[in-house]
Amino acid sequence: MSIDNAKCILVIGATSGIGRALALALAELPSRPTVIAAGRRQDRLKELQEKMLETVRLDVAADLDVLKENIDSIIAKYPNLDAIILSAGIQYQLDFTSAAVDLNQVYREINVNYLAVVSLISMFLPHFLKLSAEGRSSWIIPISSGLGLTPSSLMPNYSASKAALRSFTTSLRKQMEVTNVNVLEIIPPLVESELHDEQGTTERLSKFWMPLDEYTEKTMQGLRKGDIHIAAGRAEETLKRFQALEKPVL
């Protein structure tokens, strides 16, 4: 089912990159849904407020009790919330031939990219299942990665976290078949992002990445069509090869 039918969309990780671009694009849908941009950086949230988006400060790496309080507060303030896009993520290059691998980075990457996403979905699900019982549709849309299909040796832990998220999303979709909860998956390729500035890889990767504007347009097309898997560029090519071999979910 198309995201055009959503009344209130929360984009988590909306202060930069893909999340920010999607939040702004969703606000321009003809159906004019309420779009809530969530993220850690208050200055970025203020800028999105000036673009007429609702905003909420949310740190997905917070303790579970704090995270649950935040989610309950969001649902109380926006009872019509019926879609979440989970875009928050971090990425490290880790070289395991070195004795100096930072295990804190390993744990943080798994926590933010996988465990926090599963936690957030679990916290929102009672609300969405209530909507389902009322005959209303809702959408859960994690953002995984093409590296969850074909891992990168430069980013082994990041690739593993996204593979775990893909597997969880696939199983969740199967469980939700008996409900009105739609589970979609956005699968980006290498996309223009300030994420690469932090790693010092922008100059090298800019020769290969998909421009953010182009990627956003293709992803919005998939969301509006209600595609289960929304992939673009090399990620779309990889997904097609993967699906040819993929076995059905038990």
Side-chain angles (χ1 to χ4, degrees), residues 18-172:
I18 293 172
R20 179 183 181 278
L22 287 177
L24 292 171
L26 289 163
E28 295 298 320
L29 285 173
S31 55
R32 286 294 190 265
T34 299
V35 177
I36 311 160
R40 291 184 299 109
R41 289 178 280 187
Q42 194 62 49
D43 58 328
R44 298 289 184 89
L45 293 175
K46 183 179 179 181
E47 181 257 338
L48 290 169
Q49 276 183 326
E50 293 169 355
K51 296 181 180 294
M52 308 308 293
L53 270 65
E54 299 284 316
T55 63
V56 61
R57 192 172 186 280
L58 183 68
D59 182 358
V60 301
D63 291 341
L64 288 177
D65 289 344
V66 174
L67 202 57
K68 183 66 164 59
E69 288 178 7
N70 291 337
I71 300 315
D72 289 345
S73 176
I74 292 170
I75 294 170
K77 185 175 181 180
Y78 301 98
N80 277 331
L81 177 68
D82 53 4
I84 54 171
I85 296 178
L86 299 122
S87 179
I90 55 175
Q91 184 183 91
Y92 298 116
Q93 292 191 36
L94 297 172
D95 181 3
F96 283 86
T97 66
S98 167
V101 168
D102 187 344
L103 291 180
N104 288 317
Q105 290 185 338
V106 172
Y107 275 74
R108 186 161 182 259
E109 207 165 34
I110 292 294
N111 183 44
V112 172
N113 295 352
Y114 178 68
L115 294 177
V117 177
V118 174
S119 298
L120 287 164
I121 290 172
S122 300
M123 292 171 186
F124 279 111
L125 262 175
H127 171 67
F128 287 159
L129 291 172
K130 180 183 176 184
L131 295 182
S132 178
E134 297 169 356
R136 288 184 54 188
S137 296
S138 60
W139 291 261
I140 295 174
I141 312 173
I143 297 183
S144 61
S145 170
L147 295 182
L149 293 162
T150 303
S152 165
S153 61
L154 295 175
M155 293 163 285
N157 195 57
Y158 176 85
S159 301
S161 70
K162 292 298 186 176
L165 182 58
R166 284 213 73 245
S167 178
F168 175 81
T169 302
T170 302
S171 298
L172 181 67

Side-chain angles (χ1 to χ4, degrees), residues 150-241:
T150 303
S152 165
S153 61
L154 295 175
M155 293 163 285
N157 195 57
Y158 176 85
S159 301
S161 70
K162 292 298 186 176
L165 182 58
R166 284 213 73 245
S167 178
F168 175 81
T169 302
T170 302
S171 298
L172 181 67
R173 183 182 303 113
K174 183 69 174 179
Q175 289 190 5
M176 292 297 118
E177 283 181 347
V178 296
T179 75
N180 291 314
V181 181
N182 300 279
V183 181
L184 313 182
E185 180 188 4
I186 295 175
I187 312 172
L190 176 64
V191 177
E192 175 187 359
S193 171
E194 66 185 63
L195 176 73
H196 308 299
D197 294 344
E198 299 174 10
Q199 301 183 75
T201 55
T202 295
E203 183 177 354
R204 175 167 57 88
L205 296 180
S206 63
K207 301 172 184 177
F208 309 104
W209 67 31
M210 178 178 284
L212 182 58
D213 288 347
E214 179 185 351
Y215 174 74
T216 303
E217 181 180 354
K218 289 182 179 294
T219 300
M220 287 299 298
Q221 289 172 359
L223 286 170
R224 299 192 70 183
K225 287 191 296 181
D227 292 341
I228 291 175
H229 300 104
I230 303 164
R234 292 186 178 180
E236 184 177 20
E237 297 168 7
T238 304
L239 178 64
K240 288 178 180 177
R241 293 196 299 271

